[in-house]
Amino acid sequence: MQTLVVLAVLAAVGAACEWGWEEYNGSCYRLQSRVNTWTIHNFECVYEGGTLASIKSEEENDFIRRLAHGRDVYIGGASFGYNWEWADHSSFYGYSNWADQADSYPPRGRPCISMNSYGQWEAHCCANPPRAAVCVRRW
């Protein structure tokens, strides 16, 4: 009987995210390992019911870094004006992890954010170089 209860609890906990997605703090994340542009990755994330990942804390940043397995990945930050915004339209201000503080203000010609293998954020062109990406579905 105890084995059945444990299996039922494990099934319920794991049922929050579909296969290929990983749960963290009530949301589901997936590494898009194929390299592409920020725009195409975000379109694919939206098609799957999410967006490119917005990052709200150091813990979430560390989780996404581990999920990326040492790869540079696009995350959901972008600027098509004077301020950074998250792809899910949530507030950008609060937590940040810039490799170069100069990037905290959107530089011309580099309006998309990627995370490097150290978990630090960098401003990049949205198309070059193509990278992997991390999607999130928030509930």
Side-chain angles (χ1 to χ4, degrees):
M1 178 68 171
Q2 289 177 341
T3 303
L4 290 175
V5 171
V6 170
L7 290 175
V9 169
L10 289 174
V13 169
C17 298
E18 295 175 22
W19 183 88
W21 292 76
E22 292 191 37
E23 192 275 334
Y24 172 77
N25 204 22
S27 297
C28 300
Y29 297 78
R30 186 173 70 80
L31 174 67
Q32 291 182 323
S33 57
R34 184 175 42 85
V35 297
N36 220 322
T37 67
W38 186 97
T39 305
I40 290 175
H41 279 303
N42 193 54
F43 177 78
E44 290 173 345
C45 291
V46 169
Y47 183 77
E48 294 177 346
T51 62
L52 283 172
S54 55
I55 301 175
K56 306 299 182 188
S57 68
E58 182 176 359
E59 294 78 15
E60 186 176 22
N61 199 76
D62 291 343
F63 171 79
I64 290 171
R65 179 180 176 227
R66 286 190 302 275
L67 184 66
H69 302 291
R71 298 180 75 170
D72 290 355
V73 294
Y74 282 122
I75 56 176
S79 174
F80 300 102
Y82 297 103
N83 296 309
W84 289 114
E85 299 176 22
W86 289 118
D88 66 2
H89 305 290
S90 62
S91 174
F92 191 87
Y93 301 98
Y95 173 77
S96 65
N97 193 28
W98 296 105
D100 181 348
Q101 284 303 310
D103 285 347
S104 65
Y105 299 97
R108 292 183 99 182
R110 297 184 294 147
C112 292
I113 300 175
S114 67
M115 176 188 285
N116 66 27
S117 62
Y118 300 105
Q120 298 171 314
W121 304 355
E122 299 173 335
H124 280 280
C125 171
C126 298
N128 225 352
R131 300 181 183 282
V134 175
C135 294
V136 62
R137 290 178 181 162
R138 299 206 187 269
W139 307 112

